[in-house]
Amino acid sequence: MSDTDNIGDVPAPSRLLARLSGRTDGLADLYRHLHAHPELSFGETRTAGLVAERLRGLGMDVTTGLGRTGVVGVLDNGDGPNLLLRADFDGLPVTEQTRLPYASETAGVMHACGHDMHVTCLLGALDLLVQGKAYWAGKISAVFQPAEEIGSGAQAMVDDGLFDTIGKPDIVLGQHVGPFPAGTIGCHAGPALAATDALKVTLHGKGAHGSRPEAAIDPVVMAASTVMRLQTVVSREIAGGDTAVVTVGALNAGTKDNVIPDTAVLKINIRTYDEAVRKTVLNAVKRIIEGEAAVAGATRSPDCEPIDTFPALVNDESAVARTLAAFRDHFGETQVFDPGPATGSEDCGVFGTASDTPVCYWFFGGIDPETYAKAQRSGTVNRDIPSNHSPYFAPVIEPTLSTGVEAMTVAALTWLSGRGNRFG
Ligand SMILES: [Zn+2]
Ligand SMILES: [Zn+2]
């Protein structure tokens, strides 16, 4: 935070929001429009165009095409902290089954993760912040990110000069809609979402007739012992109190019983929460792959290519404490909870690590509270409540939308400087 920040002068966000209420009309229509027109990762050109137009309408400085399809809107409103507010905007290759009147009109593509809600909520929050700009000072950098679902969009924007455009932020704020009661907010301090590393490993042997092992270097046996040895990474190299998962999800080699193939291919998925643990696991996996190939007498080292990579999302403890205090004030004590660490992955943390900035990332509920309570009473939450990536995932528009707009606005106002006590 900069020295100019003085939390005591920030107007109570709820009071400002009350003063601005009624300004979110039209957001539900925008949400339905976005939901009906999802686009896949790095193909979000229509969405990007719509976002850029809205940002220009709000009087923000707009940069498009950052990280291929990313859009950034900047509003400089005097000396004060620089806030990076983030929404992702890609859909998924899922065929929608919700039967909603505003269901996807694009075959095989769906906003099944709720990124359409993130875009709508951030645009709604920016609208409120622009309307209320007499009450705060600082800079807002709204980052609309492509390709979250393939773990590449945040890095693409960073590589394309995001921080040259917006400068170094003082805080990164982001949110995700999830399968719990609308009107509630969940946030976990520390490692909140797991890192994922997916690797494709090609083991090189030497093919021969199945009757002549002496003429071969058998990649099937090499693969088998590699898979078995990989089981010792978590059990023998990771401390009992740390978490790591190593899964070999695919093992492909050969075509016929009497042909020793040339190669074998493994696909490995690794989940961790801690960067040191992640490095230990990755190093161990690579060492074992190389080692087993050498033991088998391979004449060529295995090829190891990353498929997908998501770093862990680590929420800054004091940033979470400050933001959640504002959420409790605004939404009420019982509406804010700690969901614990989640096994999903999310690349919003890249903006924090790339700029050495604390991150606060929270979830807001998207399920009708009565529907959720009913499922909870009958013990069927997992069966009856569709979650993100399901073809049935359908956040109830209200109070989900208002909650997301208010959460982002309240969080932003909590981190911006106040302008005296103009709010009365
Ligand atoms: Zn997703
Ligand atoms: Zn998502």
Side-chain angles (χ1 to χ4, degrees), residues 39 50 61 67 69 126 223 234 237 244 275 296 301 309 312 314 326 371 376 379 392 403 409:
E39 294 171 297
L50 189 151
D61 291 329
T69 43
L126 293 171
V234 174
E237 300 196 42
E275 186 57 25
S301 285
T309 304
V314 182
T371 308
Q376 213 169 18
Y392 297 95
T403 307
T409 312

Side-chain angles (χ1 to χ4, degrees), residues 29 61 127 168-169 197 233 243 256 308 312 331 342 389:
D29 285 340
D61 291 329
D127 190 16
K168 182 186 166 0
D197 289 279
V233 175
T243 302
K256 201 172 182 302
D308 276 341
F331 293 106
H389 291 207

Side-chain angles (χ1 to χ4, degrees), residues 197-371:
D197 289 279
L199 306 172
K200 179 186 170 193
V201 175
T202 306
L203 304 171
H204 299 282
K206 183 168 169 253
H209 194 284
S211 66
R212 299 194 62 229
E214 74 278 15
I217 297 167
D218 191 343
V220 174
V221 176
M222 204 190 300
S225 53
T226 302
V227 171
M228 292 310 293
R229 184 92 194 174
L230 285 172
Q231 307 311 309
T232 66
V233 175
V234 174
S235 67
R236 300 292 81 201
E237 300 196 42
I238 300 302
D242 290 331
T243 302
V245 180
V246 176
T247 293
V248 181
L251 193 173
N252 295 299
T255 51
K256 201 172 182 302
D257 60 295
N258 63 353
V259 178
I260 297 170
D262 271 326
T263 59
V265 175
L266 309 179
K267 286 184 183 165
I268 306 172
N269 188 283
I270 298 162
R271 303 262 164 166
T272 51
Y273 288 108
D274 178 82
E275 186 57 25
V277 174
R278 175 175 176 247
K279 281 194 177 134
T280 303
V281 171
L282 281 172
N283 287 338
V285 165
K286 283 177 186 160
R287 190 192 71 237
I288 287 168
I289 291 162
E290 299 274 343
E292 289 294 339
V295 167
T299 48
R300 213 179 125 189
S301 285
D303 296 321
C304 183
E305 359 160 359
I307 306 170
D308 276 341
T309 304
F310 288 83
L313 188 140
V314 182
N315 265 330
D316 182 82
E317 308 254 350
S318 65
V320 166
R322 179 170 171 176
T323 311
L324 289 198
F327 285 166
R328 287 195 189 95
D329 266 2
H330 180 71
F331 293 106
E333 199 74 37
T334 55
Q335 299 299 97
V336 181
F337 68 101
D338 182 349
T343 47
S345 292
E346 162 62 63
D347 68 356
C348 183
V350 167
F351 296 120
T353 31
S355 62
D356 194 21
T357 304
V359 175
C360 181
Y361 188 85
W362 62 89
F363 293 89
F364 60 112
I367 308 300
D368 174 62
E370 274 182 34
T371 308

Side-chain angles (χ1 to χ4, degrees), residues 88 90 113-115 118 148-149 176-177 345-346 361 388-389:
D88 43 7
D90 51 334
C113 202
H115 298 183
H118 308 168
E148 186 282 330
E149 293 293 353
H176 206 300
V177 64
S345 292
E346 162 62 63
Y361 188 85
N388 307 63
H389 291 207

Side-chain angles (χ1 to χ4, degrees), residues 12-89:
S14 312
R15 291 160 66 206
L16 178 53
L17 272 168
R19 183 170 273 216
L20 297 170
S21 68
R23 306 250 194 173
T24 53
D25 298 350
L27 280 183
D29 285 340
L30 171 66
Y31 170 72
R32 283 187 281 260
H33 176 83
L34 289 169
H35 190 83
H37 301 98
E39 294 171 297
L40 290 174
S41 305
F42 284 131
E44 314 92 333
T45 48
R46 228 178 137 220
T47 309
L50 189 151
V51 165
E53 189 188 306
R54 291 256 171 174
L55 296 176
R56 284 190 196 103
L58 290 172
M60 301 183 86
D61 291 329
V62 178
T63 307
T64 57
L66 204 65
R68 293 163 70 174
T69 43
V71 181
V72 174
V74 174
L75 180 67
D76 202 336
N77 193 31
D79 274 354
N82 182 7
L83 273 52
L84 191 165
L85 311 182
R86 182 269 204 173
D88 43 7
F89 63 22

